[in-house]
Amino acid sequence: MKQFQYICPTTQQGVLDVINKPGTKIIAGGTNLVDLMKRGVTAPDKLVDINHLPLKSIISTPKGLYIGALALNSAVAEHELVARQYPLLAMALKAGASPQLRNMATVGGNMMQRTRCGYFYDTTMPCNKRAPGSGCGAYEGVNRMHAIFGGSSQCIAVHPSDMCVALAALNAVVIIAGKKGERRLPFTDFHRLPGEHPEMDNHLAANELIVGVEIPNNHFAANSYYLKVRDRQSYAFALVSVAAALDIENGIIRHARLAMGGVAHKPWRLFDAEQALAGKPVSEDSFKQAAQLAMQGAKGYGQNAFKLKLAPATIAEALKHAAGLA
Amino acid sequence: MKSNETVNGPDGDQDVKDTSRRNFLKQSSLLTAVALTPGTAVKAAVMHVDEKIAAVFEKMPLKMEVNGKPQKLSVEPRSTLLDILREQLDLTGTKKGCDHGQCGACTVHVDGRRVNSCLTLGIMMSGKKITTIEGLANSDQLHPMQEAFIKHDGFQCGYCTPGQIMSAVACIREGHAGSEHEIREYMSGNICRCGAYPNIVNAIQEVKDGGQTV
């Protein structure tokens, strides 16, 4: 690993004052960044440790739940309020990484983690995300894990998070601090599609810091499910994952929320399928129809074409679990 | 209509007896470092980056508690907790497996929480309490989990065992050892290439069912 300078500011202002400089990176849990530094994928000159900022709280607010950016993934997953009111988030978190990693990884860091695309990690290979303009090795290469939605000729990498899929489905809001104060960004607008600039994973500016996320109150707690399909039963990234949340009254779906992981450069909300489910009776037929609708625009790139069948099956299955039919 | 596009955008060591090979390796890498220094310094001077280099090469003080003992160290910011434990404190019980957070061989407890020490920068451990496999036994009295691993044959080559045991103790303390299924899920961060999993699960279940304090 390349040498770097380490600083540990104790105030948010102290962090904002230094993070804008080129070659500077924020470190929180470090589970992804330290790995990327060991592999030479990233080589910062300066690391800014933000662990001394008071951003670990998980608190109930009149509007919902506030989770500080430095709250540990394990702390959120095990939190009583999360288990009771937002079980979808707890399930997604527990499906991610390992107990050890969840004890290190933070909510903000989880959002900022990079893709696990093999070409991104291998510095001898072309990758537009790591080295803009060098090409995309995955497009016609080893792309079994890659995107079926929203890809571009520049990049078909997927965002690896489980937590983010649940937060996208729950209409969370990201609270971001900058020099001019705070701004709020819908979670679904935080991550971006690769387009012509796959080097940019999200819309966080270099001089900004994630301070927390808010999840609005909802009526999904009784009927939500996170289903993750992967190569082994635990401790593996998703081939396809689905966060499903239903608000059901007398056997009729009032509102539905659906998001997928492992299929796009960002957590992929299934807005059309959600709309189609609203007002429908709880039934396997409704779920299968919604799943087919969700697949519009999907595209396979060779090795990952199996996801075109796996994804709708996973959506329907997750909905069945959420509705209590499975 | 809403859409997703609305936005613009191994070294097998015998801990006590066989230290000569490790010392040799340490000495030889030190000599290599000395041999390389002049070239690096010249290049740095030519590029006028000597001050920058001096700033980043500077070691930083680190105070932490390891297995109940306070430690005052001088570390490079890039040194992982794993490397500091093994190379500076000679606590080689904690193993380096993959060194990328994928195998769990390096599992230690930090302030009571299990973590991968290979992905933990030592400098970030200031003021923390670290427990390694060496800190689990009570002098000559093995920890109940160590006893159980021996009784149930919870290992073959033994390389993953320190990490497995640290994780197993945490698994019970966290309250995640309620069933075989739960144990398997909450031990999934520790890979065993010999495949001793059934015996590891048995060991954990026995300690859990025994109700001893872990």
Side-chain angles (χ1 to χ4, degrees):
Chain A
M1 194 191 303
K2 202 190 84 170
Q3 296 270 23
F4 55 84
Q5 199 186 348
Y6 168 86
I7 59 166
C8 188
T10 53
T11 64
Q12 195 166 299
Q13 192 55 48
V15 171
L16 291 172
D17 285 344
V18 293
I19 54 173
N20 200 17
K21 305 215 170 57
T24 303
K25 288 248 181 233
I26 286 173
I27 186 163
T31 57
N32 188 210
L33 182 61
V34 172
D35 190 28
L36 292 169
M37 289 165 66
K38 283 187 177 186
R39 293 177 192 265
V41 175
T42 186
D45 299 319
K46 185 186 274 192
L47 274 197
V48 183
D49 179 356
I50 60 168
N51 284 294
H52 288 74
L53 303 187
L55 300 174
K56 289 192 174 76
S57 58
I58 304 169
I59 44 173
S60 186
T61 72
K63 288 180 186 167
L65 187 74
Y66 172 87
I67 305 173
L70 289 174
L72 295 176
N73 282 198
S74 54
V76 180
E78 301 285 340
H79 200 280
E80 185 263 334
L81 276 174
V82 177
R84 198 174 63 225
Q85 292 170 10
Y86 308 94
L88 183 65
L89 176 59
M91 284 184 86
L93 278 163
K94 288 177 186 176
S98 69
Q100 291 97 314
L101 291 166
R102 295 197 293 269
N103 274 342
M104 305 167 71
T106 64
V107 167
N110 190 316
M111 291 165 61
M112 295 301 290
Q113 66 179 309
R114 311 298 309 270
T115 183
R116 271 25 178 228
C117 172
Y119 296 95
F120 175 72
Y121 262 78
D122 187 340
T123 54
T124 65
M125 289 287 180
C127 172
N128 289 320
K129 185 179 278 300
R130 173 173 35 76
S134 62
C136 174
Y139 198 81
E140 292 182 318
V142 178
N143 55 28
R144 187 170 168 273
M145 298 294 291
H146 289 69
I148 52 171
F149 289 109
S152 75
S153 59
Q154 303 291 305
C155 179
I156 52 169
V158 298
H159 195 263
S161 171
D162 294 296
M163 178 198 82
C164 292
V165 180
L167 288 176
L170 295 171
N171 270 356
V173 173
V174 189
I175 302 153
I176 296 168
K179 287 242 161 161
K180 291 175 190 161
E182 282 189 359
R183 71 179 173 115
R184 298 164 65 85
L185 192 60
F187 200 91
T188 45
D189 291 345
F190 181 82
H191 296 97
R192 60 185 294 285
L193 292 176
E196 295 297 308
H197 290 284
E199 73 279 10
M200 290 159 58
D201 292 351
N202 54 58
H203 291 283
L204 189 75
N207 59 358
E208 291 183 318
L209 173 74
I210 303 169
V211 294
V213 293
E214 271 177 21
I215 314 175
N217 291 319
N218 64 51
H219 298 284
F220 299 125
N223 293 103
S224 32
Y225 200 80
Y226 189 76
L227 180 58
K228 182 175 181 181
V229 182
R230 41 190 156 168
D231 282 332
R232 59 182 181 199
Q233 223 169 12
S234 181
Y235 198 18
F237 290 104
L239 294 165
V240 170
S241 68
V242 174
L246 297 170
D247 176 0
I248 301 170
E249 197 175 60
N250 300 324
I252 303 293
I253 299 164
R254 280 165 27 120
H255 300 286
R257 297 274 183 75
L258 285 166
M260 264 198 284
V263 297
H265 197 257
K266 61 185 290 187
W268 192 252
R269 268 288 285 272
L270 311 178
F271 293 111
D272 292 346
E274 291 173 10
Q275 281 199 346
L277 282 168
K280 293 269 166 53
V282 171
S283 75
E284 277 194 53
D285 280 348
S286 311
F287 298 157
K288 280 184 182 161
Q289 283 169 22
Q292 285 310 322
L293 196 60
M295 296 307 293
Q296 282 178 4
K299 183 185 174 189
Y301 293 88
Q303 293 180 356
N304 70 347
F306 72 96
K307 291 188 181 183
L308 300 174
K309 282 188 181 171
L310 180 63
T314 311
I315 295 168
E317 191 66 19
L319 283 164
K320 270 170 64 181
H321 279 277
L325 297 183
Chain B
M1 174 79 68
K2 284 184 180 172
S3 95
N4 286 288
E5 294 158 76
T6 48
V7 179
N8 333 315
D11 61 349
D13 22 63
Q14 294 171 7
D15 291 324
V16 184
K17 292 168 200 156
D18 182 20
T19 53
S20 57
R21 191 172 62 91
R22 187 174 306 116
N23 285 339
F24 168 76
L25 287 170
K26 271 189 189 170
Q27 282 163 11
S28 55
S29 52
L30 189 68
L31 289 172
T32 313
V34 170
L36 283 173
T37 303
T40 313
V42 169
K43 201 177 161 199
V46 170
M47 292 166 71
H48 301 288
V49 289
D50 42 344
E51 289 139 50
K52 223 174 168 180
I53 297 274
V56 292
F57 272 69
E58 209 167 324
K59 287 195 176 183
M60 296 180 76
L62 168 65
K63 281 189 204 175
M64 60 182 182
E65 192 181 300
V66 181
N67 297 333
K69 271 196 239 162
Q71 297 285 352
K72 273 173 108 171
L73 300 161
S74 177
V75 303
E76 286 187 9
R78 65 176 172 172
S79 297
T80 60
L81 175 60
L82 173 63
D83 285 343
I84 291 167
L85 290 171
R86 289 180 56 88
E87 303 296 329
Q88 290 187 241
L89 294 172
D90 283 329
L91 292 170
T92 52
T94 306
K95 300 298 185 232
K96 183 180 281 199
C98 69
D99 208 24
H100 289 283
Q102 297 175 3
C103 78
C106 67
T107 302
V108 300
H109 297 176
V110 174
D111 288 346
R113 277 196 301 264
R114 51 174 156 164
V115 303
N116 299 100
S117 62
C118 74
L119 292 181
T120 302
L121 293 178
I123 193 69
M124 292 169 70
M125 293 293 102
S126 173
K128 306 273 189 197
K129 290 184 173 145
I130 319 297
T131 307
T132 71
I133 189 72
E134 290 92 341
L136 218 50
N138 184 5
S139 61
D140 286 344
Q141 178 89 38
L142 289 179
H143 183 278
M145 192 62 77
Q146 292 173 311
E147 295 272 19
F149 265 65
I150 294 168
K151 180 178 166 191
H152 289 276
D153 217 1
F155 49 87
Q156 195 178 119
C157 82
Y159 197 83
C160 72
T161 311
Q164 297 280 3
I165 290 177
M166 295 311 288
S167 220
V169 169
C171 184
I172 292 180
R173 287 182 184 164
E174 293 163 4
H176 289 138
S179 65
E180 181 185 340
H181 174 80
E182 192 181 23
I183 291 170
R184 284 181 174 274
E185 172 61 37
Y186 280 86
M187 289 296 292
S188 71
N190 293 79
I191 310 294
C192 171
R193 289 192 69 179
C194 303
Y197 299 115
N199 299 357
I200 292 171
V201 172
N202 290 342
I204 297 171
Q205 271 184 320
E206 182 178 278
V207 176
K208 166 74 170 33
D209 295 344
Q212 297 138 291
T213 305
V214 293

